[in-house]
Amino acid sequence: MQSFRTELENPVVERDIIELEKKIRLYREGKIADEKFRSLRLARGVYGQRQQGVQMVRIKLPYGKMTLAQWKRIANVSDEFSTGNLHLTTRQDVQIHFVSLDRTPELWSKLDQDDITIREACGNTVRNITASDKAGIDPEEPFDVTPYADAAFRYFLRNPVCQDMGRKFKIAFSSSDADTAWTFMHDLGVIPKIQDVNGVPTRGFKVMVGGGLGAQPYLAKVAFEFLEADLLIPYIENVLRVFDRYGERSSRHKARMKFLIQKIGMEEFVRLVHEEHLALKSKRYPVDTAAWPETEAPKGMPGAAYSIKDPVKYEAWKRSNVFQQKQAAYLAAYVKVPLGNISSDESRLLIGKLHGVIADDVRVTANQGLLLKYILPANLPYVYSVLEEVGYATPGFDSVSDITACPGTDTCNLAISSSTGIAAALEQVIEEEYPELVFNKDIKIKISGCMNSCGQHGIASIGFHGSSLKSSGKVLPALQVLLGGGILGNGEGRVADKVIKVPSKRGPDVLRALLDDYSNNAAADEKFNDYYDRRTEKYFYELLKPLADLQALTDEDFVDWGQAENYATAIGVGECAGVVIDLVATLLYEVEEKLELGMEAIGNKQYADGIYHAYAVFVQSAKALLLGEGVACNTQIGIINDFEKHLVATGRFDAAEFKDQVLQINTHEPSEAFAKQYYQQAQAFYKQAQAFREANAGAPAVLK
């Protein structure tokens, strides 16, 4: 691969990019194993696609915010390195596909010129921190959560406590009790509250922990009804430290936060979190909201002439896509982006024509659309005319007709059947047969290509996920139908029930059956989920059962949406977890990197970071030796216990009170003195581990 010269002002980012280039070169030279390299690139936003030899690059946009310059930069980068398509995701990221691995460092350097990162967009890290797209303009919000979401993003980016956890960790900030960021389905979610503390109105958050979707959904538990705002980031760090130390690492399907809390119980989880508190670098972390920059609201009128081609559609768009901000003089408008895909050319047209008429703050929404802010009422017709010209003036944002879908078999390794194809077919059914539902925002339809719920089918009123069925020895694409999920508010939600599985090509008939039954039989003003509860799951199973009959299949049923050939399952290896193969040599190489990082942190007076790097030296050195002895390794606390049991207690390794030495991390403030002492102990342990390995090289594994 060719090297390139970075021209970045940020030395931290430049170092990241040079490091990525170095890792790619070592991988190409066969010096880094495939699985280890996978974890390295995932933590840098580079994700393998279904198609061999190309990558998906995930661009991390905290709380979904893009300036117009950043949006244009992403569009230009997509043209240069990808296909000219921008895919908006349910976690408010932007993804570009079909990128050459060797060009990813250069791509990152181009993005950074407008302060855009791909760092920790994938892998076993804190993923993109999401927030209600209305944050800052929501008429119902107690206060703007955006500064807090931004502070959390910056605090945990590159933070040693969350660089190589057992699995990913997702955080969401809702702007109000409406909970439009879905805190109940996140590892950690917060909702803003104001409460009197000693007679003073004080900002804080309701805090939810342990939620998640995937194949086994769990609703989050309440950690605090009210936690003062200054304590939020320290609490999140506490939780991450517990998750890092006690979370599952062998079985990726059991490695999320929700499973840790289910395993040890909430009471023990709270105790462990409290145990980490002394070691925190900050016991309180105030966010200076007074210094948060005010959004500059455009005040001028568009200079160009314009006209609206379809006034009737414009009125429908205003009714369904536009709302008044809490800033009474301004409106905000949602843009429906079908399947979250918008081209670079379309992006640049919108940027050019809307510059100066909307705020320099566009939000990617959690249902794969866009939010344009601070529009003067007099400018709204012009904004619509621009959207109409470019093809994004469709009414019905976040309605029944606005279906969320992951990319599915288009690009994802894990997808079982098409999600984008069936989504387009269902939207066509609604547009042509149920046009009145463009204003219905009660029913949400969400589709995933597999059970992992990237399309959030698990919290949909009507959800589908990709599956397969067999008939007469042949496999056909199928859809699992789920019903009854949704938001209740204030941190509470509903997980959808799995009702029945049907051939994929019958998805439109499933939708017709559900909508017709609801229209004909629901009481006046009865919400869909209330109707579902009244009728019960069994009723809907019987309603849809004829569509699951495999006795009258046609040739078309064996062809997936958007395909020409007969269906065949082709599921690859998923990369969402950034699984690491535990190679002893690679682990010890990583230990050397941790020692360098620890020394650097202490030299920069970042004592808490230096201590955590030293802790990683202890754990990974111990893990390497255990693996060399044939001992399976799982949680970090398990590694510490197993090292004492198999190597220290048997007298094979001289490290008295090893566990107490390692867990000093929780019994000391992160002072300079302790940081230096702990680092020296970790360094000495690593040297001893290296000597042990050399002395036992080639020895058979004797431990079980």
Side-chain angles (χ1 to χ4, degrees), residues 100-415:
S100 164
L101 174 63
D102 293 339
R103 299 192 71 196
T104 53
E106 184 182 2
L107 179 153
W108 190 354
S109 72
K110 293 287 180 72
L111 289 173
D112 188 68
Q113 291 174 28
D114 276 297
D115 195 27
I116 307 166
T117 190
I118 60 176
R119 173 83 192 218
E120 295 157 49
C122 307
N124 298 330
T125 60
V126 172
R127 295 291 185 86
N128 194 31
I129 293 180
T130 60
S132 299
D133 50 61
K134 286 184 177 181
I137 63 171
D138 186 351
E140 298 179 5
E141 67 185 19
F143 56 87
D144 182 6
V145 299
T146 310
Y148 300 94
D150 188 80
F153 157 71
R154 297 184 188 283
Y155 187 90
F156 293 109
L157 189 69
R158 301 182 180 86
N159 193 311
V161 305
C162 51
Q163 292 306 297
D164 190 22
M165 299 182 293
R167 279 293 309 264
K168 57 193 172 186
F169 194 94
K170 296 179 178 180
I171 301 173
F173 285 72
S174 275
S175 60
S176 73
D177 285 359
D179 201 8
T180 52
W182 308 317
T183 60
F184 60 88
M185 52 154 275
H186 282 78
D187 296 290
L188 190 144
V190 300
I191 301 170
K193 305 283 183 180
I194 293 180
Q195 184 171 302
D196 277 0
V197 176
N198 299 322
V200 178
T202 302
R203 289 183 174 189
F205 296 93
K206 180 175 184 177
V207 181
M208 313 293 298
V209 295
L213 291 179
Q216 299 181 59
Y218 284 96
L219 297 174
K221 300 179 183 295
V222 178
F224 294 94
E225 287 291 347
F226 182 84
L227 179 68
E228 288 185 45
D230 290 359
L231 300 176
L232 178 63
I233 286 178
Y235 176 73
I236 297 173
E237 182 175 353
N238 267 341
V239 169
L240 287 170
R241 291 167 72 100
V242 169
F243 180 52
D244 194 32
R245 194 169 350 272
Y246 294 89
E248 170 74 32
R249 287 173 180 266
S250 294
S251 173
R252 66 182 291 270
H253 298 292
K254 293 288 185 181
R256 294 294 298 274
M257 257 278 292
K258 59 187 179 183
F259 295 115
L260 174 61
I261 292 178
Q262 294 294 320
K263 177 182 177 181
I264 66 175
M266 194 64 183
E267 184 177 346
E268 174 64 3
F269 175 76
V270 170
R271 187 191 71 79
L272 292 174
V273 168
H274 179 73
E275 197 174 71
E276 298 286 334
H277 187 71
L278 182 64
L280 297 184
K281 67 178 77 174
S282 303
K283 305 303 186 289
R284 300 184 78 91
Y285 194 87
V287 174
D288 187 1
T289 57
W292 186 252
E294 290 285 333
T295 302
E296 187 174 344
K299 295 179 174 59
M301 297 290 289
Y306 65 91
S307 63
I308 291 175
K309 299 172 186 175
D310 190 338
V312 174
K313 191 175 178 182
Y314 172 54
E315 293 302 320
W317 177 83
K318 279 202 299 184
R319 179 180 164 191
S320 62
N321 292 39
V322 178
F323 66 93
Q324 185 172 324
Q325 299 182 181
K326 75 176 185 182
Q327 297 82 4
Y330 295 96
L331 302 173
Y334 283 114
V335 181
K336 182 182 173 186
V337 180
L339 301 176
N341 293 317
I342 184 169
S343 76
S344 54
D345 288 341
E346 292 164 340
S347 296
R348 281 186 291 267
L349 278 171
L350 291 174
I351 293 164
K353 290 178 178 292
L354 295 175
H355 181 76
V357 181
I358 63 171
D360 191 20
D361 179 352
V362 175
R363 300 291 170 97
V364 176
T365 69
N367 66 340
Q368 302 174 293
L370 296 168
L371 176 62
L372 313 179
K373 300 161 57 175
Y374 284 89
I375 303 169
L376 288 166
N379 289 345
L380 190 65
Y382 171 77
V383 171
Y384 176 82
S385 73
V386 171
L387 294 172
E388 187 178 46
E389 177 187 346
V390 184
Y392 288 94
T394 307
F397 179 88
D398 203 32
S399 72
V400 184
S401 65
D402 192 1
I403 296 175
T404 300
C406 71
T409 50
D410 291 356
T411 56
C412 180
N413 272 325
L414 288 177

Side-chain angles (χ1 to χ4, degrees), residues 47 86 108 138 151 198 286 307 339 383 429 460 580 592 657 671 704:
Y47 191 104
L86 281 59
W108 190 354
D138 186 351
N198 299 322
S307 63
L339 301 176
V383 171
V429 167
V580 175
E592 292 175 359
E657 299 180 343
S671 65
K704 303 295 183 184

Side-chain angles (χ1 to χ4, degrees), residues 557-575:
D557 288 315
F558 290 90
V559 180
D560 205 358
W561 293 97
Q563 302 298 314
E565 304 295 328
N566 277 3
Y567 172 78
T569 54
I571 306 170
V573 177
E575 297 202 324

Side-chain angles (χ1 to χ4, degrees), residues 584-597:
V584 174
T586 303
L587 278 170
L588 293 175
Y589 171 72
E590 283 183 348
V591 171
E592 292 175 359
E593 291 186 332
K594 297 292 185 185
L595 283 168
E596 290 178 11
L597 291 169

Side-chain angles (χ1 to χ4, degrees), residues 622-639:
K623 182 178 182 178
L625 296 191
L626 286 171
L627 288 171
E629 296 290 328
V631 178
C633 296
N634 191 2
T635 64
Q636 290 183 346
I637 194 67
I639 290 166

